[in-house]
Amino acid sequence: MTTRRGFLGLLAGAAVVGATGFVVVNRPSASGLLTSARLPPPFAVPLPLPTVARPARVTADADYYSVVQRVSDVEILPGVKTQIWGYDGLFPGPLFRLQSGRQAIVQLRNSLDVPTSTHLHGGVTPSSSDGYPTDLVVPGGTKEYVYPLQQRAATLWYHDHRMDYTAPQVWRGLAGMAIVSSPEEENLGLPSGDHDVPLMICDRAFGADGSFVYPAAHHGPGVTEAFANGVLGDVILVNGAPWPVFEVDASLYRFRVLNASNARRYSLSLSQGELVQIGSDSGLLGRPVRHKELPVSPGERFDVVVDFGVFPVGTEVTLLNTLDSGGTGQVMRFKVVRPGKRSALPERLADVSALDGAVTTRTFDFRSSSGDGMTMWTINGSPFSVTDSLAQPKLGTVERWRFSSDFHHPVHLHLAHFQVVKRGAGKPLPSDAGWKDTVDVRPYETVEVLARFDGFKGRYMMHCHNLEHEDMAMMANFDVG
Ligand code: C2O
Ligand code: CU
Ligand code: CU
């Protein structure tokens, strides 16, 4: 058993030369904070709800959608316009309401003047529709993405995944949510309709004219060196609105929380009351888990229920981020404006049996490296290479994957869903429960997961979901065979 101190000691002298000659050094520090020219007032605008995507055509076997990626000007800060790049010109993009087991086919047209690649995060998707970073839709081009959705009901999201430019393209607005439902889940009597609310949380910074500010490197991909650890904004947006207010009745609400930030982590907490987690990245938990504070790293989703029925009408409840103080220490506010129906949450939600039977163990080390005065982020000592493959799991098997790190790295697997079984020498966090596709690996920590490689053979990837790290090469291929 390695103690934390022993592990740090081991790392202190470690400088590993990776396959490419990059020197892997131990150099964690804080991410870079951008400051806006002026801050909008908090709690001054209502929470927007994303536009629901309507299928263009419905057949016996599939729902067909068509989506255009385009530039548009939207009002995010009161009184000024922000130019965004959006799916259908929207930020967040349209909300897809999908059914487990029912195929969705999306005809995507790229009307931007840059290439894109769209990934359905959490989707069990054939490799050809998975949004591989070099599987580009060129300006003016189209692509048909096929999503079989043979998977559990869950909160998914989609976003740009262009090689080297994911972070700036998501920052400009290319992200949205998709909710997969199933009859089993609908029969549980969880809050539904206008009591089932997606919350896409992200941070941004704005120039005086309302434009998004981003510290892009002067030449080529990536960011200026001061932001190599990740870009943080000073304005918190929920569904694209700064610190919004949501009026509720005094009853149960279900919130689908997504951290769509490039690099910001949150620890969510209510100024009064508690967050009851019912689901994770890949669907419902076995039973509800109560949290005073809920850590949420980039890419993760948490399905939570809040009971406003315990508060008198007139109560204001603020959703806080306890990792910060001041503006970024707040996320949004709820106002109880009407009485509501009292109802209770079921104690049993879904069958989630613990995975076992791993056929092999693999280790992946996530670490920064410098070469030519430039930061790169590596996995097992190497920056991403389109041609290399770090693992070849067999379709239908379970493997034990061990992630270690020098920093906060939210590690995400495409295709495969997993269960977190260990953090360091200890148990997973309460918030690690259930089926997941993204897990925050904290500085100098080892996290062990059991992953099941189901669905499709082909090339997939894993990467850090800190989008600046991802663009600076912290990705790897694996091939399911
Ligand atoms: Cu949400 Cu490969 O990412
Ligand atoms: Cu993904
Ligand atoms: Cu990272």
Side-chain angles (χ1 to χ4, degrees):
M1 185 173 102
T2 316
T3 63
R4 183 178 159 79
R5 171 178 282 254
F7 188 47
L8 280 170
L10 278 177
L11 285 172
V16 184
V17 179
T20 53
F22 278 94
V23 179
V24 179
V25 291
N26 163 22
R27 202 200 56 135
S29 61
S31 305
L33 176 67
L34 286 171
T35 44
S36 296
R38 67 192 163 88
L39 293 176
F43 318 127
V45 294
L47 174 75
L49 295 173
T51 305
V52 176
R54 298 257 162 260
R57 192 154 63 88
V58 175
T59 69
D61 349 274
D63 295 339
Y64 292 81
Y65 294 90
S66 72
V67 173
V68 183
Q69 295 177 303
R70 60 180 175 86
V71 171
S72 71
D73 293 315
V74 301
E75 186 171 317
I76 297 174
L77 306 182
V80 283
K81 294 279 187 189
T82 302
Q83 186 183 89
I84 64 142
W85 295 355
Y87 294 91
D88 284 346
L90 301 167
F91 172 62
L95 171 67
F96 289 84
R97 290 201 167 271
L98 308 168
Q99 284 296 321
S100 168
R102 182 166 167 80
Q103 179 160 248
I105 297 179
V106 178
Q107 180 73 24
L108 182 106
R109 188 153 58 83
N110 178 8
S111 293
L112 299 168
D113 58 13
V114 296
T116 64
S117 176
T118 299
H119 171 59
L120 179 64
H121 179 135
V124 177
T125 305
S127 171
S128 55
S129 285
D130 197 46
Y132 192 77
T134 54
D135 194 354
L136 297 171
V137 183
V138 298
T142 60
K143 179 178 167 78
E144 188 180 79
Y145 287 92
V146 177
Y147 303 112
L149 300 170
Q150 301 287 339
Q151 58 184 103
R152 302 180 77 208
T155 305
L156 311 185
W157 68 300
Y158 59 95
H159 57 81
D160 187 63
H161 219 298
R162 176 187 171 195
M163 183 75 181
D164 296 335
Y165 293 94
T166 294
Q169 299 198 168
V170 171
W171 186 269
R172 298 185 81 151
L174 292 174
M177 296 178 74
I179 293 176
V180 180
S181 317
S182 69
E184 302 81 77
E185 189 176 311
E186 275 155 19
N187 287 338
L188 284 173
L190 295 168
S192 63
D194 60 2
H195 285 59
D196 177 0
V197 183
L199 299 178
M200 180 174 116
I201 303 173
C202 60
D203 57 341
R204 293 291 186 270
F206 296 87
D209 58 355
S211 58
F212 284 139
V213 177
Y214 189 80
H218 304 297
H219 312 281
V223 284
T224 55
E225 186 59 25
F227 293 90
N229 287 330
V231 177
L232 305 179
D234 58 356
V235 176
I236 307 297
L237 304 177
V238 185
N239 295 347
W243 298 292
V245 178
F246 188 52
E247 295 190 342
V248 295
D249 59 39
S251 70
L252 285 184
Y253 278 79
R254 177 180 191 176
F255 296 107
R256 319 272 191 146
V257 173
L258 158 66
N259 182 356
S261 307
N262 281 34
R264 183 179 288 282
R265 289 176 301 112
Y266 302 81
S267 180
L268 299 178
S269 171
L270 294 172
S271 57
Q272 43 186 323
E274 60 181 1
L275 296 165
V276 182
Q277 184 190 353
I278 59 168
S280 190
D281 301 332
S282 313
L284 289 178
L285 306 180
R287 45 187 74 241
V289 179
R290 276 148 230 282
H291 297 281
K292 258 312 232 190
E293 294 195 346
L294 179 62
V296 187
S297 70
E300 285 186 300
R301 285 87 68 215
F302 288 93
D303 211 328
V304 297
V305 167
V306 177
D307 187 2
F308 295 104
V310 301
F311 302 119
V313 169
T315 307
E316 294 187 343
V317 179
T318 306
L319 182 63
L320 302 165
N321 167 26
T322 61
L323 294 182
D324 241 323
S325 55
T328 51
Q330 300 179 319
V331 177
M332 66 177 290
R333 180 165 285 170
F334 303 98
K335 271 189 194 164
V336 185
V337 295
R338 294 179 290 278
K341 274 212 299 284
R342 294 308 320 258
S343 55
L345 203 55
E347 269 313 307
R348 297 255 331 122
L349 298 166
D351 286 325
V352 179
S353 40
L355 273 185
D356 59 10
V359 296
T360 186
T361 299
R362 302 181 200 266
T363 301
F364 302 98
D365 184 46
F366 290 71
R367 200 161 297 273
S368 77
S369 82
S370 347
D372 306 326
M374 207 181 92
T375 300
M376 290 288 266
W377 294 94
T378 62
I379 302 178
N380 288 353
S382 301
F384 180 60
S385 137
V386 196
T387 48
D388 291 354
S389 166
L390 260 55
Q392 298 78 37
K394 285 253 165 308
L395 185 68
T397 62
V398 174
E399 296 197 356
R400 185 178 302 271
W401 284 20
R402 212 172 262 154
F403 307 124
S404 58
S405 75
D406 61 344
F407 193 74
H408 275 279
H409 295 299
V411 173
H412 169 52
L413 304 193
H414 286 210
L415 182 78
H417 297 162
F418 57 74
Q419 294 176 355
V420 182
V421 291
K422 231 184 202 186
R423 274 192 187 265
K427 280 215 199 60
L429 301 172
S431 56
D432 291 330
W435 283 100
K436 291 180 64 60
D437 58 45
T438 306
V439 63
D440 190 33
V441 184
R442 300 176 299 184
Y444 308 112
E445 185 177 50
T446 300
V447 173
E448 215 171 272
V449 306
L450 290 174
R452 192 159 73 195
F453 297 86
D454 266 347
F456 302 95
K457 293 185 180 177
R459 173 151 289 186
Y460 291 93
M461 52 177 10
M462 79 167 116
H463 59 86
C464 176
H465 222 289
N466 175 316
L467 298 183
E468 281 74 32
H469 297 187
E470 172 178 344
D471 281 349
M472 288 180 282
M474 198 168 245
M475 300 198 288
N477 291 317
F478 63 86
D479 291 284
V480 180

